Amino acid sequence: MSGVAGFASFIFSLTAFLYITSFDQQVVASIVAGAFCLLVSYIASERPNSESARALAALGDRLLAVEQGDLTSPTPRIVRDCMPKLATAVDSLFAEVRASIENAHALGMYDPVTSLPNRLHFRAEADKLLAARASETKAAMLFVDLDRFKNVNDSLGHARGDQLLIMVANRLRVVVTAELGEAPVKRPLLARLAGDEFTIFFPEIEEASDAERVARRIALAISEPFELHGHSIDIGASIGVAICPDHGTAIEGLMRAADIAMYRAKNNGGGRYCLFSEELAAEHQRKIDTESALSEAVQRGEFLLALQPQLSFVTGEVSGAEALLRWNHPREGMRMPATFIPIAEQTGIIADIGDWVVAEVASMLAEWHASGVKRRLAFNVSPRQLDRADFFQRLRATFNEAGVPLSMVELEFTESAAMECSAVVLGEIAALRSDGASIAIDDFGTGYSNISRLRAMPLDRVKLDPSLIADIETSEKARVVVQAVVQLIKGVGAEIVAEAVETVAQADILRAMGCDTVQGFVFAHPMFEEEYLNWTRNADRGSRSVA
């Protein structure tokens, strides 16, 4: 356009100077020629500027369309024609933005380890499937929690743990796919919720037995060993099953019911499934109520200590007593430890209860010591208490401040806690024993015992679990087992206490086997402090009169 304008100006000027001869005419012609040149040059320059302006305006409209969510339309054609490089750059930018949004969506909706839907995605999709369910159709929710997975993370590391999760997810996919078969049903939704928890929602099932069959297959599939970098990994799966509409009509309710059932399966030993029931719901509610009440029971002074005497087979005298916890519930009355101790252990409230027990035992023994009563008093130490770094320091301080010699104190540890405690804890226990305290293992025979640890542990007494002696009157096998355990304990130099002895026949058999001390209803029921002190005074007088 500019070249055409210049050529036209040259022709016009040449013509004017060839045919116009007077000076005045030449001046006028020159002015006209100049004006013409300016006009042509302006037109030549303005046209491309107008194209650019329209292209920029079109590009601006395209960018503003992003506000309405348009990230897919290409740049306008006028921009591609007038400014091709800019158009290419804008199209590339939108492509990168779309890719970033898709990646963010994937991260927000899928588990990065197993590529399964995550909790958010699962809830949204399961809600849609449940809403589309026909009223007469049943649905099923399965909650899968791996057993012993934490051991894998602790021993092999989290990277290996993630690889194991991928392998578990693949096995779950296989089970779900096999369950579909050729039937034209809606596809189940498999997801990883968090950690080692998976869930499967079946939008269509015929009967509850179908869901139980799948749960059984999952338990069998996960129980098969996993080969992981030269390691054979044995884990299991606890599975809870809930049915819609029997156990809930909303995803939240079904997940809660399946979760409750899963915990029952895990408490029953794991590697199995459990179908939700109203009995489980009632039990779960009682647990919640107990947790709530326990949190305030210590402050309200609702706990008591009952004392169960221990009789020495060797001397025939009362050698001491065990302090047994009782909860004087404001509505339910006196509750036994089995109804609340497991819950207190799970929630961690047991640590506060344990502190109360130590303080109460110290106060009780201080009064006994001042009045000349020298009998030993035993109490249980929870594994949760051992987790506290300052437990032994605080325990020593409590008894020192009360003026109680440690020779009047016996600490009882469960078999599992004794076998698993660290070298530091063992050192603290040994120091207490050196300073006069007695050390006992409680419930022996129900857990895993390391014989070398048992031999090296600072130990005075071992208490046989009641399950060992329950059938010794009628079962030869039971007697053989108890005799073997007695010999084992004698071999490590510890005394043997048989607890929960209920009959004279049991006591006679245990005495003949070499047990040192008996504790149970055959001898005396648990009693509160005042009754215990009166009872022991009478027992002492009886022993002296017999002597």
Side-chain angles (χ1 to χ4, degrees), residues 105-378:
H105 177 75
L107 288 174
M109 302 299 284
Y110 290 90
D111 170 46
V113 176
T114 62
S115 298
L116 293 174
N118 61 14
R119 181 185 294 270
L120 180 64
H121 190 182
F122 174 79
R123 290 290 298 271
E125 293 300 315
D127 277 330
K128 294 177 184 177
L129 291 171
L130 193 60
R133 179 186 66 89
S135 58
E136 68 278 3
T137 304
K138 291 181 179 292
M141 180 74 71
L142 274 63
F143 199 104
V144 181
D145 187 272
L146 302 183
D147 303 325
R148 302 181 297 279
F149 177 75
K150 183 178 182 298
N151 296 338
V152 177
N153 272 343
D154 292 344
S155 60
L156 300 181
H158 289 275
R160 295 287 184 264
D162 286 347
Q163 291 175 345
L164 180 59
L165 289 174
I166 294 172
M167 298 168 74
V168 168
N170 290 337
R171 289 194 185 180
L172 292 177
R173 288 188 181 99
V174 170
V175 173
V176 170
T177 302
E179 186 62 25
L180 285 174
E182 301 297 330
V185 297
K186 293 182 179 179
R187 185 173 183 83
L189 182 61
L190 169 64
R192 180 193 174 203
L193 298 187
D196 58 355
E197 297 176 347
F198 297 82
T199 190
I200 310 172
F201 179 64
F202 289 86
E204 293 181 4
I205 62 169
E206 292 292 332
E207 299 294 339
S209 58
D210 296 333
E212 292 185 84
R213 183 183 66 252
V214 176
R216 187 162 48 248
R217 289 180 178 177
I218 291 173
L220 290 173
I222 304 302
S223 67
E224 291 294 324
F226 293 84
E227 294 300 325
L228 187 61
H229 292 274
H231 298 277
S232 180
I233 307 298
D234 287 308
I235 60 173
S238 299
I239 305 147
V241 182
I243 307 298
C244 173
D246 301 349
H247 306 142
T249 56
I251 290 300
E252 183 176 354
L254 288 172
M255 290 183 69
R256 178 176 176 272
D259 189 38
I260 293 171
M262 180 276 295
Y263 274 107
R264 167 54 67 86
K266 190 172 287 291
N267 290 337
N268 287 341
R272 64 192 70 194
Y273 75 90
C274 178
L275 180 65
F276 182 78
S277 66
E278 293 304 319
E279 290 77 13
L280 277 181
E283 180 182 324
H284 182 70
Q285 188 58 50
R286 285 194 299 271
K287 178 183 176 183
I288 293 176
D289 294 341
T290 298
E291 288 179 8
S292 177
L294 275 174
S295 62
E296 300 177 356
V298 174
Q299 287 74 19
R300 292 178 178 176
E302 296 173 0
F303 288 113
L304 301 169
L305 288 182
L307 310 180
Q308 185 165 37
Q310 297 174 337
L311 175 70
S312 171
F313 276 141
V314 178
T315 65
E317 297 179 347
V318 177
S319 58
E322 179 183 1
L324 304 174
L325 192 63
R326 299 288 185 265
W327 182 11
N328 189 16
H329 195 281
R331 294 185 305 277
E332 301 176 14
M334 201 66 68
R335 291 183 57 171
M336 297 295 103
T339 67
F340 64 88
I341 288 296
I343 298 174
E345 291 276 4
Q346 293 171 11
T347 59
I349 299 174
I350 191 66
D352 295 331
I353 297 174
D355 289 343
W356 178 86
V357 169
V358 171
E360 189 70 10
V361 167
S363 175
M364 195 178 295
L365 288 178
E367 294 181 6
W368 294 5
H369 185 62
S371 61
V373 177
K374 304 299 182 183
R375 283 194 174 87
R376 183 181 66 248
L377 186 58

Side-chain angles (χ1 to χ4, degrees), residues 46 61 82 101 126 137 177-178 234 236 242 258 306 321 350 391 399-400 407 463 514 521 542 545:
E46 182 62 21
D61 293 338
C82 188
I101 292 175
T137 304
T177 302
D234 287 308
I350 191 66
F391 168 71
F399 286 110
N400 286 338
S407 58
K463 304 183 73 173
F521 290 173
S545 64

